[in-house]
Amino acid sequence: MRAFIAIAAALLCACASTPPADTSRITYEVSSWGYVQERWTIAADGQAAFEHTEPSAQLGSPLLPAQRFALTPADFERIRATLTPTERFITHDLVCEVQMTDAPYGTVTWQRASGVEQHVSFYSACRETRDITLFFTRLDAADQIFHQLTNAPTH
Protein backbone atom coordinates (compact mmCIF):
# COMPACT_ATOMS: atom_id res chain seq x y z
CA MET A 1 0.00 0.00 0.00
CA ARG A 2 2.83 2.40 0.85
CA ALA A 3 4.44 1.68 -2.50
CA PHE A 4 1.16 2.47 -4.26
CA ILE A 5 0.85 5.79 -2.40
CA ALA A 6 4.47 6.68 -3.17
CA ILE A 7 3.98 5.93 -6.88
CA ALA A 8 0.72 7.91 -6.98
CA ALA A 9 2.39 10.86 -5.24
CA ALA A 10 5.30 10.74 -7.68
CA LEU A 11 2.94 10.71 -10.65
CA LEU A 12 0.98 13.65 -9.28
CA CYS A 13 4.16 15.64 -8.78
CA ALA A 14 5.35 14.78 -12.29
CA CYS A 15 2.05 15.80 -13.86
CA ALA A 16 1.58 19.04 -11.98
CA SER A 17 2.93 21.90 -14.05
CA THR A 18 3.86 24.78 -11.86
CA PRO A 19 4.10 27.97 -13.89
CA PRO A 20 7.27 29.99 -13.61
CA ALA A 21 7.28 32.35 -10.64
CA ASP A 22 9.65 34.70 -12.45
CA THR A 23 6.94 36.73 -14.18
CA SER A 24 7.96 40.38 -14.40
CA ARG A 25 5.02 41.80 -16.37
CA ILE A 26 1.51 40.78 -17.43
CA THR A 27 -0.34 42.39 -20.32
CA TYR A 28 -4.00 41.94 -21.24
CA GLU A 29 -5.25 43.13 -24.61
CA VAL A 30 -8.67 42.84 -26.23
CA SER A 31 -9.42 43.75 -29.84
CA SER A 32 -12.32 43.88 -32.23
CA TRP A 33 -12.17 43.88 -36.02
CA GLY A 34 -8.39 44.33 -35.97
CA TYR A 35 -8.35 47.26 -33.54
CA VAL A 36 -7.22 47.23 -29.94
CA GLN A 37 -10.09 48.31 -27.71
CA GLU A 38 -8.37 47.97 -24.34
CA ARG A 39 -4.92 47.15 -23.02
CA TRP A 40 -3.57 47.02 -19.51
CA THR A 41 -0.18 46.10 -18.18
CA ILE A 42 1.10 45.54 -14.67
CA ALA A 43 4.74 44.97 -13.71
CA ALA A 44 6.05 43.04 -10.72
CA ASP A 45 6.96 46.32 -9.00
CA GLY A 46 3.33 47.47 -9.28
CA GLN A 47 3.76 49.97 -12.11
CA ALA A 48 0.69 49.74 -14.32
CA ALA A 49 -0.73 51.32 -17.45
CA PHE A 50 -4.19 51.36 -19.01
CA GLU A 51 -5.22 52.29 -22.54
CA HIS A 52 -8.65 52.16 -24.13
CA THR A 53 -10.85 53.73 -26.74
CA GLU A 54 -13.69 56.08 -25.91
CA PRO A 55 -16.82 54.05 -25.07
CA SER A 56 -18.73 55.70 -27.94
CA ALA A 57 -15.79 55.72 -30.37
CA GLN A 58 -16.17 54.34 -33.86
CA LEU A 59 -14.35 51.16 -34.70
CA GLY A 60 -10.77 51.97 -35.62
CA SER A 61 -10.51 54.98 -33.33
CA PRO A 62 -7.11 55.32 -31.70
CA LEU A 63 -6.53 54.45 -28.07
CA LEU A 64 -6.63 57.33 -25.63
CA PRO A 65 -3.29 58.29 -24.05
CA ALA A 66 -2.15 55.74 -21.48
CA GLN A 67 -3.07 56.30 -17.87
CA ARG A 68 -0.29 55.34 -15.43
CA PHE A 69 -0.78 53.88 -11.96
CA ALA A 70 1.56 53.14 -9.07
CA LEU A 71 0.19 49.93 -7.58
CA THR A 72 2.08 47.57 -5.28
CA PRO A 73 3.97 44.30 -5.77
CA ALA A 74 1.17 42.68 -3.73
CA ASP A 75 -1.37 43.95 -6.30
CA PHE A 76 0.73 42.41 -9.08
CA GLU A 77 0.92 39.14 -7.16
CA ARG A 78 -2.86 39.11 -6.72
CA ILE A 79 -3.37 39.41 -10.48
CA ARG A 80 -0.57 36.94 -11.24
CA ALA A 81 -2.01 34.37 -8.84
CA THR A 82 -5.49 34.80 -10.34
CA LEU A 83 -4.10 34.07 -13.81
CA THR A 84 -1.78 31.22 -12.76
CA PRO A 85 -4.21 28.42 -13.74
CA THR A 86 -4.46 29.88 -17.25
CA GLU A 87 -0.73 29.65 -17.90
CA ARG A 88 -1.09 25.99 -18.80
CA PHE A 89 -2.64 27.14 -22.07
CA ILE A 90 0.73 28.62 -23.09
CA THR A 91 1.94 25.13 -23.98
CA HIS A 92 -1.44 23.39 -24.31
CA ASP A 93 -3.49 25.59 -26.62
CA LEU A 94 -6.84 26.87 -25.47
CA VAL A 95 -9.09 24.91 -27.83
CA CYS A 96 -11.93 26.99 -29.22
CA GLU A 97 -14.86 25.65 -31.17
CA VAL A 98 -16.22 28.89 -32.62
CA GLN A 99 -19.83 29.48 -31.69
CA MET A 100 -20.26 32.77 -33.55
CA THR A 101 -18.13 35.21 -35.51
CA ASP A 102 -17.23 38.87 -35.05
CA ALA A 103 -16.68 38.66 -31.28
CA PRO A 104 -13.83 40.31 -29.35
CA TYR A 105 -10.53 38.47 -29.11
CA GLY A 106 -7.18 39.09 -27.53
CA THR A 107 -4.10 37.91 -25.71
CA VAL A 108 -2.67 37.61 -22.24
CA THR A 109 1.11 37.93 -22.24
CA TRP A 110 3.47 36.97 -19.44
CA GLN A 111 6.93 38.52 -19.65
CA ARG A 112 9.50 36.54 -17.70
CA ALA A 113 12.43 38.07 -15.82
CA SER A 114 14.66 36.80 -18.64
CA GLY A 115 12.73 38.97 -21.11
CA VAL A 116 11.03 35.99 -22.79
CA GLU A 117 7.36 36.59 -23.53
CA GLN A 118 4.75 33.83 -23.50
CA HIS A 119 1.12 34.34 -24.38
CA VAL A 120 -2.29 32.79 -24.69
CA SER A 121 -4.59 34.00 -27.44
CA PHE A 122 -8.33 33.89 -26.88
CA TYR A 123 -11.59 34.38 -28.71
CA SER A 124 -14.64 35.33 -26.68
CA ALA A 125 -17.23 33.37 -28.65
CA CYS A 126 -16.07 29.79 -28.12
CA ARG A 127 -18.42 26.99 -27.20
CA GLU A 128 -18.31 26.45 -23.48
CA THR A 129 -15.96 23.73 -22.27
CA ARG A 130 -14.30 23.18 -18.92
CA ASP A 131 -11.09 24.82 -20.21
CA ILE A 132 -12.91 27.79 -21.75
CA THR A 133 -14.87 28.32 -18.53
CA LEU A 134 -11.71 28.13 -16.41
CA PHE A 135 -9.84 30.50 -18.70
CA PHE A 136 -12.53 33.17 -18.91
CA THR A 137 -13.45 32.94 -15.23
CA ARG A 138 -9.83 33.62 -14.29
CA LEU A 139 -9.30 36.23 -17.02
CA ASP A 140 -12.46 38.12 -16.04
CA ALA A 141 -11.44 38.02 -12.36
CA ALA A 142 -7.97 39.41 -13.15
CA ASP A 143 -9.49 42.13 -15.34
CA GLN A 144 -11.93 43.03 -12.58
CA ILE A 145 -9.12 43.22 -10.01
CA PHE A 146 -7.13 45.53 -12.29
CA HIS A 147 -10.13 47.82 -12.79
CA GLN A 148 -10.94 47.89 -9.07
CA LEU A 149 -7.35 48.74 -8.15
CA THR A 150 -7.04 51.52 -10.73
CA ASN A 151 -10.62 52.78 -11.03
CA ALA A 152 -10.03 52.58 -14.77
CA PRO A 153 -13.23 52.56 -16.81
CA THR A 154 -14.58 49.14 -17.71
CA HIS A 155 -15.50 48.06 -21.20
Side-chain angles (χ1 to χ4, degrees), residues 49-103:
F50 176 72
E51 300 170 275
H52 68 105
T53 57
E54 288 280 353
S56 60
Q58 290 185 338
L59 194 59
S61 296
L63 294 171
L64 296 172
Q67 296 173 286
R68 307 264 178 222
F69 304 94
L71 303 177
T72 68
D75 295 332
F76 170 81
E77 181 55 30
R78 188 173 163 206
I79 291 172
R80 190 196 68 75
T82 300
L83 289 171
T84 293
T86 67
E87 289 187 69
R88 71 182 171 108
F89 299 113
I90 291 170
T91 54
H92 305 292
D93 289 337
L94 183 61
V95 177
C96 173
E97 184 181 325
V98 176
Q99 186 168 308
M100 62 177 245
T101 57
D102 303 338

Side-chain angles (χ1 to χ4, degrees), residues 18-155:
T18 305
D22 68 342
T23 303
S24 61
R25 178 179 310 277
I26 298 170
T27 302
Y28 164 82
E29 184 174 283
V30 64
S31 298
S32 182
W33 289 87
Y35 298 99
V36 176
Q37 301 299 302
E38 178 179 322
R39 177 187 304 125
W40 57 253
T41 300
I42 185 166
D45 66 1
Q47 295 303 306
F50 176 72
E51 300 170 275
H52 68 105
T53 57
E54 288 280 353
S56 60
Q58 290 185 338
L59 194 59
S61 296
L63 294 171
L64 296 172
Q67 296 173 286
R68 307 264 178 222
F69 304 94
L71 303 177
T72 68
D75 295 332
F76 170 81
E77 181 55 30
R78 188 173 163 206
I79 291 172
R80 190 196 68 75
T82 300
L83 289 171
T84 293
T86 67
E87 289 187 69
R88 71 182 171 108
F89 299 113
I90 291 170
T91 54
H92 305 292
D93 289 337
L94 183 61
V95 177
C96 173
E97 184 181 325
V98 176
Q99 186 168 308
M100 62 177 245
T101 57
D102 303 338
Y105 57 92
T107 58
V108 179
T109 304
W110 292 264
Q111 182 177 0
R112 307 304 180 187
S114 66
V116 171
E117 290 187 351
Q118 297 176 304
H119 72 275
V120 174
S121 296
F122 62 87
Y123 183 64
S124 65
C126 301
R127 290 197 190 280
E128 195 168 323
T129 64
R130 194 168 80 205
D131 285 347
I132 292 293
T133 300
L134 166 79
F135 181 81
F136 282 106
T137 298
R138 292 303 187 129
L139 182 62
D140 292 346
D143 187 47
Q144 185 176 30
I145 291 167
F146 183 87
H147 285 273
Q148 286 173 343
L149 292 170
T150 61
N151 285 324
T154 57
H155 47 286

